[in-house]
Amino acid sequence: MNVLGIIASGVAALFITVALAKSARRVALRPHVPNEPGGRAPRAEVLRRTGGATAVLGVGTATGVALWLGAADDAAGSVGGLLAGAGIVAALGLVHDLKPLWTALRLGAQTAAAILVVCLAGLPPAAGVLAVLWIVLVTNAFALLDHADGLLTVVGLVTAAGLLACALVGGDPALALLPTTLVAGLAGFLLHTWHPARLRLGATGAQFTGFALAASGALILAAAPSGRAAWAALPALATVALADSALVLISRRRAARSPLRDTDDHIAHRLRRVRVTVPGAAVLTALWAAVPVATGTLVYAELLHPAFLLLPLAGTAAAVFALLRIPAYGSPRTAPPRTGSSRTASSGAAPSRTAAARRAQASGVGAAIPAAASAPGAKASAPGQGAPAARTAAGHPTVPPPPTGRPPAEAATAAAERG
């Protein structure tokens, strides 16, 4: 496959993705039906959630036409199997966007698609098993990055660019076909998924992107010339995706939460907690991904010693440790106390009974918090208003202890002993 064929495939993927995404965006933002609540038609949210199908169609169409024209030469079987496996995963993701599927079913389909890629590429059994495990792991790691506007798109674009460079350096340009179209498709889709996102990659685009990147890396690794440090260089291209997965698993393990229940504990969520904007989180994560991608590409090209890969890996470990120190799970919120008007409205004909109960409780526990009532900053009771709520030195109302049934004198003695 020549350079002109690679460029033509990328340009075709870019234009197809932009055209399809623009059409889907126009339909999703179309004014709603007059009698319909919510401001948008029901199909709007579905189109936003399944917007990644436009990128899949753009990349898949451009790659398929290039294969049909004989652009992949002798590697047509490998590239065709790669495209077929990515298409299977994308179809499963589309179904998951419309109706969530079981995790076991998704993992089984991803494993079957990875086996298809490995068999059509003709990898030996031992390498094939490792490739299948790697593809399934990295596919789900990249899919987890789709938790903020534009995040997975920019990280996938940077990673695909690294794979494209490795394929060209490795002397097998046919394997650069899918990374090229993927770079172009993600670049075209970035216009619509950047914050504020009009379309989302969803499970369709996220799993397709992760599978295409993982399978392309496995095939480039298998086709690497002997003597290259491909075994160490190519895994570095998935550093950020694997770091996010490790961050999530460690956090949920510490908090005794289910590892399969998604929540706001990913990289972008923690950056948002330290007041980083959504576009800023995407840019920072893309820069983070660019460091190991560039280092791995240079090592693959034999321009750097493999020992240099320890630098981005050490930096990634330090970043994960720092992100773990940012709290991801807030304390459960208590229900705010209802006002007197809402309590009266909800109780109907029993306001006098409620007021009597409050007076009885005040007489039972009022003597138990004399110190708080006389704290500095507390306001004295105004004539005719009754006893005010006890307040702390900072002016916040105190919460009285529950009634114990003791006489006021005994309650005051017990409170003094506790103080």
Side-chain angles (χ1 to χ4, degrees):
M1 182 177 183
N2 53 26
V3 178
L4 292 179
I6 295 177
I7 296 175
S9 301
V11 172
L14 176 63
F15 277 99
I16 294 173
T17 302
V18 170
L20 293 177
K22 187 175 182 179
S23 301
R25 174 180 173 177
R26 185 183 298 113
V27 175
L29 300 179
R30 183 177 297 172
H32 67 285
V33 180
N35 295 328
E36 182 184 355
R40 287 184 181 179
R43 63 176 176 270
E45 182 59 30
V46 176
L47 284 173
R48 289 185 68 251
R49 191 168 59 246
T50 60
T54 60
V56 172
L57 290 175
V59 174
T61 302
T63 308
V65 171
L67 285 175
W68 180 64
L69 295 176
D73 299 329
D74 296 335
S78 299
V79 179
L82 200 161
L83 183 61
I88 293 173
V89 172
L92 186 73
L94 180 60
V95 176
H96 181 70
D97 280 331
L98 300 176
K99 184 178 181 180
L101 301 175
W102 292 342
T103 303
L105 178 60
R106 286 182 287 152
L107 291 177
Q110 293 169 6
T111 303
I115 292 175
L116 175 64
V117 173
V118 168
C119 292
L120 292 179
L123 297 182
V129 172
L130 293 178
V132 169
L133 295 177
W134 171 257
I135 292 173
V136 174
L137 173 64
V138 175
T139 298
N140 290 278
F142 271 97
L144 289 177
L145 287 178
D146 189 29
H147 59 266
D149 292 349
L151 184 65
L152 174 59
T153 309
V154 294
V155 174
L157 198 155
V158 170
T159 307
L163 288 172
L164 172 60
C166 291
L168 294 176
V169 171
D172 195 354
L175 295 179
L177 176 59
L178 187 56
T180 301
T181 56
L182 190 59
V183 167
L186 292 178
F189 192 77
L190 183 61
L191 303 173
H192 306 279
T193 192
W194 193 252
H195 183 76
R198 279 76 173 180
L199 298 175
R200 292 177 48 200
L201 278 175
T204 308
Q207 294 190 24
F208 177 86
T209 301
F211 189 92
L213 293 173
S216 296
L219 295 184
I220 293 173
L221 173 62
S226 58
R228 292 189 184 273
W231 59 271
L234 290 176
L237 274 63
T239 299
V240 171
L242 296 176
D244 181 72
S245 300
L247 176 68
V248 167
L249 292 177
I250 294 174
S251 299
R252 295 176 187 176
R253 175 67 177 176
R254 288 181 174 181
R257 292 172 176 256
S258 172
L260 300 180
R261 186 176 181 179
D262 200 11
T263 185
D264 297 342
D265 54 1
H266 295 270
I267 291 176
H269 298 144
R270 295 172 189 268
L271 293 177
R272 291 287 293 140
R273 288 179 177 265
V274 293
R275 300 187 181 280
V276 178
T277 63
V278 176
V283 171
L284 286 177
T285 310
L287 293 176
W288 180 2
V291 175
V293 167
T295 306
T297 303
L298 293 175
V299 170
Y300 185 85
E302 298 182 336
L303 298 177
L304 287 179
H305 192 273
F308 280 92
L309 290 172
L310 296 177
L311 296 178
L313 294 180
T316 298
V320 170
F321 179 76
L323 291 172
L324 283 173
R325 299 178 65 87
I326 301 175
Y329 312 110
S331 57
R333 298 181 178 179
T334 57
R338 293 184 296 178
T339 60
S341 57
S342 61
R343 191 161 46 230
T344 303
S346 61
S347 58
S352 59
R353 183 176 59 84
T354 307
R358 288 200 301 269
R359 287 195 297 271
Q361 181 179 358
S363 63
V365 302
I369 49 174
S374 59
K379 296 181 180 180
S381 60
Q385 293 184 357
R391 293 181 177 273
T392 63
H396 300 292
T398 60
V399 180
T404 58
R406 301 178 182 178
E410 294 183 8
T413 303
E417 293 177 356
R418 287 194 301 269

